[in-house]
């Protein structure tokens, strides 16, 4: 069962359910939204949130993704299978980070979301610590960074 969410700030909570259950996920995500506190919600392996098609995710997560920014709730989703990730996580996102992926279809999808022109190469061919970042609010294509220090230094 989902744990109760906090009603005051400054806390951390990790919930690792034993089984995937859309109704329990919905309850948990709606409880976070209803608490109304600024929060960071990290969903590792977001493909586990998909029940059927990539648009069929728990209703609570859909609502959290679309309404959570108002009270300062930010959702971070990660996956190694972009093609099977929840469609809403990508369509509602502001910031996209792209790392190496092995599957050709996932790589094409990633390049499309990052707006990396096809003439730049058929594959990302990133080195060990390289990644692309794109702020969708600013438009344009993604920028290549060679590590986290490179990324942070460009914003200081």
């Amino acid at each position: 069962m989902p744990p109760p969410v906090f009603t005051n700030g400054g806390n951390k909570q990790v919930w690792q359910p034993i089984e995937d259950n859309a109704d329990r996920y919905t309850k948990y995500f709606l409880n976070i939204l209803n608490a109304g506190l600024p929060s960071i919600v990290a969903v590792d392996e977001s493909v586990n949130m998909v029940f059927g098609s990539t648009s069929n995710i728990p209703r609570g997560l859909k609502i959290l993704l679309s309404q959570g920014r108002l009270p300062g709730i930010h959702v971070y989703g990660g996956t190694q299978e972009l093609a099977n990730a929840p469609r809403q996580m990508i369509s509602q996102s502001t910031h996209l980070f792209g790392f190496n992926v092995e599957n050709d279809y996932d790589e094409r999808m990633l390049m499309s979301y990052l707006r990396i022109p096809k003439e730049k190469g058929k594959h990302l061919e990133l080195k060990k610590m390289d990644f692309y970042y794109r702020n969708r609010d600013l438009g344009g294509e993604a920028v290549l960074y060679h590590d986290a220090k490179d990324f942070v230094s460009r914003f200081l």
Side-chain angles (χ1 to χ4, degrees):
M1 296 302 293
V5 298
F6 294 107
T7 56
N8 57 358
N11 299 292
K12 297 176 192 171
Q13 182 176 70
V14 176
W15 178 39
Q16 293 180 294
I18 295 171
E19 61 183 40
D20 293 324
N21 182 297
D23 292 334
R24 290 180 185 161
Y25 287 137
T26 287
K27 180 180 179 185
Y28 184 67
F29 292 128
L30 288 178
N31 286 345
I32 293 170
L33 183 63
N34 291 332
L37 294 174
S39 304
I40 297 172
V41 179
V43 179
D44 189 24
E45 291 306 332
S46 60
V47 296
N48 293 338
M49 294 290 111
V50 175
F51 293 84
S53 72
T54 58
S55 62
N56 189 16
I57 65 173
R59 184 172 185 276
L61 181 56
K62 285 181 188 179
I63 294 170
L64 189 65
L65 288 167
S66 62
Q67 299 177 15
R69 284 181 293 241
L70 183 62
I73 299 171
H74 303 281
V75 180
Y76 295 85
T79 184
Q80 296 173 23
E81 299 178 49
L82 185 62
N84 295 320
R87 182 182 54 78
Q88 298 86 345
M89 281 196 144
I90 297 167
S91 65
Q92 293 289 331
S93 69
T94 302
H95 306 278
L96 294 173
F97 290 85
F99 300 87
N100 260 338
V101 292
E102 295 297 321
N103 181 286
D104 286 338
Y105 183 73
D106 288 323
E107 186 174 48
R108 285 193 307 275
M109 295 278 294
L110 181 59
M111 290 175 75
S112 172
Y113 287 124
L114 292 171
R115 293 215 174 130
I116 297 173
K118 291 179 183 170
E119 58 269 8
K120 284 210 174 181
K122 189 175 180 180
H123 296 285
L124 292 175
E125 297 178 6
L126 296 173
K127 294 180 178 68
K128 186 174 184 177
M129 302 300 287
D130 289 354
F131 64 91
Y132 280 97
Y133 166 73
R134 178 175 173 235
N135 182 330
R136 294 178 69 188
D137 286 348
L138 301 178
E141 65 183 67
V143 175
L144 174 65
Y145 294 93
H146 297 292
D147 55 36
K149 184 177 178 182
D150 180 28
F151 178 76
V152 171
S153 70
R154 295 192 195 190
F155 295 97
L156 296 177

